[in-house]
Amino acid sequence: MKLIVTGAGKGLGLEIVGEALRRGHEVAAGMRSLETNVDALKARQEGAPGKLTLLELDVDEEDSIAKAKEAMADRWGTVDALINNAGILLARDQSIERLEFAAVENTFRTNLYGPMKMVKHFLPLLKESDRPFILNVSSEAGCFAGAYGGDYPYALSKAALNYFTAQLRKELVPQGFGVYAMHPGWIRTPMGGSQAPGDPLDSAKAILDLAEGKLKADTDAVMIGIDGKAMPQ
């Protein structure tokens, strides 16, 4: 399987790359810059020579995505799985009265527009796959049932990402795609913090199991947890 992973330099993205390489897949690890976090990625490819492609890919910039798509079209010709993992968390402590809308705009640019642009450009390569798969890494913060007063930029961007996922499902599932949003759990990453109870490797394994067809998810669900069960919307 040939996978594209965004936000691959740290946290969950790094674990997805490492687990995919351990399973023998070919991985293009997308990062804003190839000058940072490269050592961690290279360490993950031990035992999987030639399987890792370091891909300069800034999901905030459509030109960067277009160039990355052309690079992978030349290198692979097809993509089996797109994992939209890149995300940011800004203005956590800002109440609605003090909310800086630059933080909202920046968050939507990465968390929503980034996956939208990735699908826009990589969809032709995915359609060349026998079993195409798209996963948007989301959050329970984007569920209406779990709405709370806070994290406005992040929660709203993830709610919008869930809706975008639902739209993609309507269009692409009849074409043979697997399309899901997944809540990876509260996990120990730079975003989740060291006090989080979850291991990001467990989430990475669930994502790969889903992409490989080993994890049988609720087929009617838009967003699922790492157990494959539907999350409340």
Side-chain angles (χ1 to χ4, degrees), residues 26-212:
E26 294 184 62
V27 186
M31 298 179 293
R32 285 183 175 178
S33 171
L34 298 185
E35 297 179 358
T36 59
N37 298 320
V38 174
D39 290 343
L41 279 166
K42 288 182 177 179
R44 295 300 198 278
Q45 71 174 333
E46 293 182 9
K51 296 286 190 178
L52 176 64
T53 299
L54 299 180
L55 187 63
E56 189 168 335
L57 174 59
D58 184 349
V59 300
D60 288 357
E61 302 294 337
E62 189 165 4
D63 285 348
S64 175
I65 293 172
K67 289 176 182 177
K69 180 259 182 179
E70 291 303 319
M72 297 317 300
D74 291 341
R75 187 175 182 88
W76 287 349
T78 184
V79 171
D80 299 306
L82 170 61
I83 301 175
N84 286 313
N85 167 72
I88 58 174
L89 176 58
L90 303 177
R92 290 219 65 180
D93 300 324
Q94 292 182 6
S95 66
I96 189 64
E97 299 98 326
R98 298 180 179 275
L99 186 60
E100 298 173 1
F101 270 83
V104 180
E105 293 165 0
N106 290 339
T107 300
F108 268 75
R109 183 163 56 247
T110 299
N111 293 3
L112 174 63
Y113 305 155
M116 291 178 71
K117 288 180 282 192
M118 287 294 297
V119 173
K120 171 186 173 180
H121 287 277
F122 280 93
L123 193 57
L125 300 185
L126 285 158
K127 287 184 175 180
E128 295 297 319
S129 172
D130 294 332
R131 193 173 174 274
F133 175 81
I134 298 172
L135 183 99
N136 295 323
V137 176
S138 189
S139 170
E140 63 182 354
C143 297
F144 279 51
Y148 56 95
D151 287 340
Y152 288 100
Y154 183 77
L156 290 169
S157 71
K158 292 301 187 180
L161 181 63
N162 290 344
Y163 193 87
F164 173 57
T165 305
Q167 291 179 301
L168 287 179
R169 285 178 59 81
K170 288 290 186 182
E171 178 180 356
L172 298 178
V173 169
Q175 299 179 37
F177 276 70
V179 182
Y180 287 99
M182 180 183 280
H183 169 56
W186 182 20
I187 53 179
R188 292 184 294 277
T189 64
M191 183 182 292
S194 60
Q195 301 303 311
D199 185 340
L201 181 56
D202 292 335
S203 302
K205 289 178 178 178
I207 289 169
L208 269 296
D209 285 347
L210 185 64
E212 294 171 347

